[in-house]
Amino acid sequence: MDIIQVAEVLRRFGVDVLLLAVGVTFLTSLLKKTVMKSVSSKVYVFLPFALGILIYAAYSLIAKGGICFTAEEAFGIVGRGFGTGSVATVYYAVYENFLRGKFRTDPLLPLLECIPAEKRDRAAEEISGLDRSEEDLGKKIEETLLAYADPPLEEGELAATAALIEEYLKQIT
């Protein structure tokens, strides 16, 4: 995107819409993960637009300092709110498709709480790299856990953790 395209986006939407859209994106994501978990997925399509209109209307009320709007101003607020929802939808799509996977952690990490945090990534990488078809996979996992755990694990805890990780590895293949 060159400077002319950036200037055109700013001219078309305005800085206020672009910044409010960030808030709408986060609010939409938060609502999807908490309050609206059991709602039909069709509602999620319209949620950013509805929130965009509501948030832009609240922003306009605060900026103007009153609730007296002409019909033209009211339609402008709805239009800018719809634009806020549109930009929020684009932000969310970019996040889901390009950024989300980069911030994901290894799903094996929660199973490795017995290993100090600074060594956990290396241990997860080593365990993930083990050949899952081997008969002595559990033994190799135990050896890796023993090598990284500090303080050392008790025998029962070691066996239980290794069995849990082994079963997890077998399930994901």
Side-chain angles (χ1 to χ4, degrees), residues 12-73:
R12 180 170 182 174
F13 289 105
V15 175
D16 56 346
V17 168
L18 296 175
L19 292 176
L20 289 173
V22 172
V24 170
T25 302
F26 286 121
L27 186 58
T28 301
S29 180
L30 180 69
L31 288 173
K32 283 173 77 172
K33 292 177 184 171
T34 58
V35 178
M36 301 181 81
K37 274 184 182 177
S38 61
V39 175
S40 169
S41 61
K42 294 176 184 177
V43 173
Y44 298 139
V45 173
F46 300 104
L47 186 62
F49 298 102
L51 288 174
I53 292 169
L54 289 173
I55 289 176
Y56 196 86
Y59 164 75
S60 295
L61 287 172
I62 293 168
K64 186 170 182 176
I67 57 171
C68 293
F69 293 105
T70 65
E72 186 177 334
E73 289 174 328

Side-chain angles (χ1 to χ4, degrees), residues 85-97:
S86 299
V87 173
T89 302
V90 171
Y91 288 165
Y92 192 74
V94 168
Y95 166 72
E96 283 290 319
N97 292 309

Side-chain angles (χ1 to χ4, degrees), residues 4 8 25 55 75 88 93 103 122 149 152 166-167:
I4 294 172
E8 178 60 26
T25 302
I55 289 176
F75 283 119
F103 298 114
R122 286 183 302 205
E166 181 179 9
E167 188 60 33

Side-chain angles (χ1 to χ4, degrees), residues 114 142 146 149 151-161:
C114 58
E142 283 184 12
L146 281 173
L153 298 171
E154 294 178 19
E155 192 170 320
E157 185 180 14
L158 176 65
T161 304

